[in-house]
């Protein structure tokens, strides 16, 4: 009987090890799918293109504005009683205006919008990191929960064997009814925990679908991301490279330029205005002139706007400082989590080896009558707990390593060398920044890009 029992335990362990070694859906493939299927990334790419158009609209403010109008009239006169004369007239006018000087307001607006574009690019980069980190967490959650299910299934099989062995020994008088009841209760608890693990796995699979864009395949063990920097080096690097910090820096720069533009509104403006008109008789007229003007009094509105923008600038500066502190804290937290998970994994491996030896020894001693069924069940539970701790520690170590990359601004498709077609934010910007009209080659290229994106 005991020989059959040992063979069953060996088969359970062998099955668990074989299942754990299968790797079909790698983390790299999951991250690639998450990047390609992310609606959040697509949404923020569109927002970036919209910010690019703000630059084009600001550039358009300093370019000539040409308009046309056509006036047609039919007038009637009654020079003689009962005799109405009708007169037709039509005038075509083409007018143009150009701002020659505005105190630098338009130039400041253009530069401010450029800073907004750079800030929005960093927002997109941060979204990319969030998507990839969420994918890592979803992948490791499936890995962890599947291993938990396998571990719980193994536990149910082992305790089932213990329950049957207790029944057999009770029938020959080696143990009491209490031993059988203990084994039965532990078996019921193991089945309950298995059902809970299966439920957790189902939830992890659904989270995986959302994060990755498809159902998980046969996931496998993952090594932590290589992190060789010290905490001080990582913090210093993160403050320079984290997209949240860079976004805040560009926001402060945009706020400074907005103040400069508001101050320019207090200066005079000079514009060039002209028109050419012709009527139905081919009589032509033209005019060209300069207009110089400015605001003398606006009820304090302009001064209030300047003060408001300065306050917004100060708020952006304070926000940037807080962001830097938060980024440093993220790096510190990720480092601490990584070290804890690494130490926990190493300790769990030692605990597993010791608990396995203890479990095997207690089982042998139980066959000799020197140990009770409860001792065997407790020893098996300690082994199970050690294995579960090891599984969690391995997953936590991987997640913490990628969280550290994210805090440093390195969790990107480019840094991870994912096989994806990366989005070039400068391509659309370079076409749009000079405010091309729709009939120009640049304008037609922009229309083709938007049409292609809309058909995807």
């Amino acid at each position: 009987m005991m020989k059959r029992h040992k063979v069953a335990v060996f088969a359970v362990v062998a099955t668990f090890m074989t299942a754990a070694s299968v790797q079909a859906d790698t983390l790299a493939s999951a991250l690639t799918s998450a990047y390609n299927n992310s609606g959040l990334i697509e949404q923020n790419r569109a927002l970036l293109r919209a910010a690019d158009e703000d630059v084009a609209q600001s550039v358009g403010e300093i370019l000539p504005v040409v308009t046309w109008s056509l006036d047609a009239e039919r007038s009637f006169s009654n020079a003689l009683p009962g005799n109405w004369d009708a007169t037709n007239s039509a005038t075509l006018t083409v007018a143009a205006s150009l701002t020659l000087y505005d105190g630098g307001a338009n130039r400041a607006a253009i530069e401010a919008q450029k800073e907004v574009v750079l800030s929005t690019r960093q927002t997109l980069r941060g979204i990319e990191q969030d998507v990839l980190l969420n994918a890592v967490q979803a992948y490791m959650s499936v890995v962890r929960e599947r291993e938990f299910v396998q571990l719980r299934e193994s536990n149910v099989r082992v305790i089932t064997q213990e329950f049957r062995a207790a029944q057999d020994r009770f029938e020959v008088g080696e143990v009491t009814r209490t031993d059988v009841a203990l084994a039965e209760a532990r078996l019921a608890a193991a089945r309950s925990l298995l059902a809970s693990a299966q439920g957790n796995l189902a939830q992890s699979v659904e989270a995986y679908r959302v994060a990755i864009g498809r159902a998980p395949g046969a996931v496998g063990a993952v090594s932590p991301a290589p992190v060789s920097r010290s905490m001080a080096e990582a913090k210093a690097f993160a403050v320079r490279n984290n997209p949240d910090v860079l976004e805040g820096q560009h926001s402060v720069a945009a706020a400074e330029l907005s103040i400069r533009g508001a101050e320019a509104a207090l200066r005079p403006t000079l514009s060039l205005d002209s028109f050419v008109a012709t009527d139905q008789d081919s009589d032509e007229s033209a005019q060209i002139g300069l207009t110089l003007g400015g605001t003398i009094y606006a009820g304090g509105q302009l001064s209030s706007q300047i003060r408001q923008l300065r306050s917004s600038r100060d708020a952006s500066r304070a926000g940037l400082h807080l962001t830097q502190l938060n980024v440093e804290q993220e790096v510190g937290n990720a480092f601490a989590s990584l070290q804890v998970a690494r130490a926990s994994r190493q300790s769990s491996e030692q605990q597993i080896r010791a608990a396995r030896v203890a479990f095997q020894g207690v089982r042998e001693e139980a066959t000799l009558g020197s140990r009770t069924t409860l001792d065997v069940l407790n020893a098996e539970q300690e082994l199970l707990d050690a294995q579960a701790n090891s599984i969690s520690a391995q997953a936590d170590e991987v997640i913490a390593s990628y969280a550290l990359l994210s805090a440093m601004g390195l969790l990107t498709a480019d840094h991870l060398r994912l096989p994806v077609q990366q989005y070039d934010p400068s391509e659309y910007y370079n076409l749009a920044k000079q405010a091309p009209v729709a009939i120009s080659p640049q304008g037609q290229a922009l229309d083709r890009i938007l049409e292609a994106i809309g058909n995807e």
Side-chain angles (χ1 to χ4, degrees):
M1 182 184 301
M2 293 307 300
K3 181 178 180 181
R4 181 190 64 193
H5 196 65
K6 290 180 180 179
V7 172
V9 173
F10 176 77
V12 168
V13 175
T15 301
F16 176 74
M17 294 301 294
T18 301
S21 63
V22 175
Q23 294 187 16
D25 194 2
T26 65
L27 178 59
S29 66
L31 293 177
T32 299
S33 296
Y35 183 90
N36 290 330
N37 298 326
S38 174
L40 191 58
I41 290 179
E42 289 297 329
Q43 179 188 40
N44 282 270
R45 286 174 179 174
L47 293 175
L48 176 57
R49 292 193 295 272
D52 293 341
E53 295 295 350
D54 286 335
V55 175
Q57 293 169 25
S58 296
V59 170
E61 293 291 334
I62 64 174
L63 298 178
V65 177
V66 181
T67 61
W68 67 272
S69 64
L70 177 62
D71 297 327
E73 295 180 356
R74 183 178 178 85
S75 59
F76 300 89
S77 63
N78 188 9
L80 297 175
N83 185 13
W84 289 88
D85 293 330
T87 304
N88 299 323
S89 65
T91 304
L92 174 64
T93 303
V94 177
S97 63
L98 174 65
T99 300
L100 300 178
Y101 175 76
D102 63 356
N106 285 334
R107 288 293 178 184
I110 294 172
E111 295 303 318
Q113 290 300 331
K114 289 181 179 180
E115 291 295 335
V116 172
V117 167
L118 295 176
S119 175
T120 309
R121 288 183 184 180
Q122 295 303 321
T123 300
L124 174 60
R125 187 163 156 253
I127 292 296
E128 178 184 344
Q129 291 205 143
D130 293 341
V131 168
L132 294 179
L133 182 58
N134 190 35
V136 171
Q137 294 170 339
Y139 186 93
M140 295 310 302
S141 178
V142 171
V143 171
R144 174 163 38 199
E145 298 304 331
R146 281 187 176 177
E147 291 187 359
F148 276 165
V149 168
Q150 293 172 353
L151 190 60
R152 294 299 178 186
E153 289 174 344
S154 174
N155 184 42
V156 168
R157 287 191 291 265
V158 171
I159 295 182
T160 299
Q161 293 290 337
E162 292 295 337
F163 174 61
R164 292 173 180 173
Q167 287 179 319
D168 293 341
R169 294 171 65 189
F170 172 73
E171 291 176 358
V172 298
E174 293 182 3
V175 297
T176 65
R177 173 66 68 180
T178 302
D179 294 296
V180 177
L182 287 171
E184 185 178 7
R186 191 65 63 89
L187 178 58
R191 288 172 176 168
S192 176
L193 292 173
L194 172 59
S196 178
Q198 290 170 338
N200 292 337
L201 175 58
Q203 294 178 359
S204 296
V205 169
E206 293 304 319
Y208 187 100
R209 290 179 185 272
V210 174
I212 309 300
R214 56 177 172 79
V219 298
V222 179
S223 300
V227 180
S228 58
R229 300 177 185 271
S230 66
M231 183 183 297
E233 291 176 342
K235 286 184 177 181
F237 184 86
V239 169
R240 298 192 306 270
N241 191 61
N242 185 282
D244 292 340
V245 174
L246 298 179
E247 177 188 351
Q249 292 174 349
H250 290 300
S251 296
V252 171
E256 294 279 5
L257 290 167
S258 296
I259 295 173
R260 188 187 306 173
E263 291 173 343
L266 299 174
R267 305 185 185 103
T269 60
L270 177 64
S271 61
L272 174 67
D273 302 291
S274 63
F275 75 86
V276 176
T278 183
D279 58 21
Q280 77 277 8
D281 297 325
S282 298
D283 293 332
E284 298 181 350
S285 61
Q287 177 179 312
I288 186 170
L290 295 173
T291 301
L292 179 65
T295 301
I296 297 176
Y297 176 73
Q301 181 182 8
L302 297 179
S303 299
S304 176
Q305 290 176 350
I306 293 173
R307 292 193 299 270
Q308 183 183 51
L309 290 172
R310 286 175 177 173
S311 297
S312 298
R313 185 267 321 272
D314 295 340
S316 297
R317 286 177 175 174
L320 174 59
H321 178 66
L322 292 175
T323 299
Q324 292 174 337
L325 294 178
N326 289 335
V327 166
E328 291 181 349
Q329 183 181 12
E330 288 178 9
V331 172
N333 291 343
F335 245 103
S337 298
L338 182 60
Q339 293 173 345
V340 169
R342 187 172 295 162
S344 178
R345 176 181 56 80
Q346 295 172 350
S347 298
S348 296
E349 291 173 354
Q350 297 175 353
Q351 184 183 3
I352 289 173
R353 290 192 294 268
R356 182 175 289 114
V357 172
F359 174 59
Q360 294 171 350
V362 170
R363 290 190 65 182
E364 292 294 335
E365 292 173 3
T367 60
L368 302 176
S370 60
R371 291 281 187 174
T372 65
T373 301
L374 180 59
D375 293 331
V376 177
L377 294 174
N378 288 339
E380 196 277 335
Q381 185 63 46
E382 290 183 3
L383 176 58
L384 177 69
D385 292 341
Q387 291 171 329
N389 291 337
S390 178
I391 292 172
S392 291
Q394 291 173 4
D396 291 342
E397 184 178 2
V398 172
I399 293 174
S401 65
Y402 281 93
L404 181 57
L405 286 183
S406 177
M408 297 171 64
L410 295 176
L411 189 56
T412 62
D414 180 57
H415 182 76
L416 298 178
R417 297 182 180 178
L418 298 180
V420 297
Q421 183 177 359
Q422 296 185 32
Y423 183 76
D424 183 4
S426 63
E427 180 180 0
Y428 188 92
Y429 173 80
N430 289 335
L431 290 172
K433 66 181 180 179
Q434 296 301 328
V437 296
I439 60 175
S440 68
Q442 294 88 348
Q444 294 174 351
L446 290 172
D447 290 337
R448 287 194 298 270
I449 291 175
L450 293 177
E451 183 178 356
I453 292 173
N455 293 330
E456 289 181 353

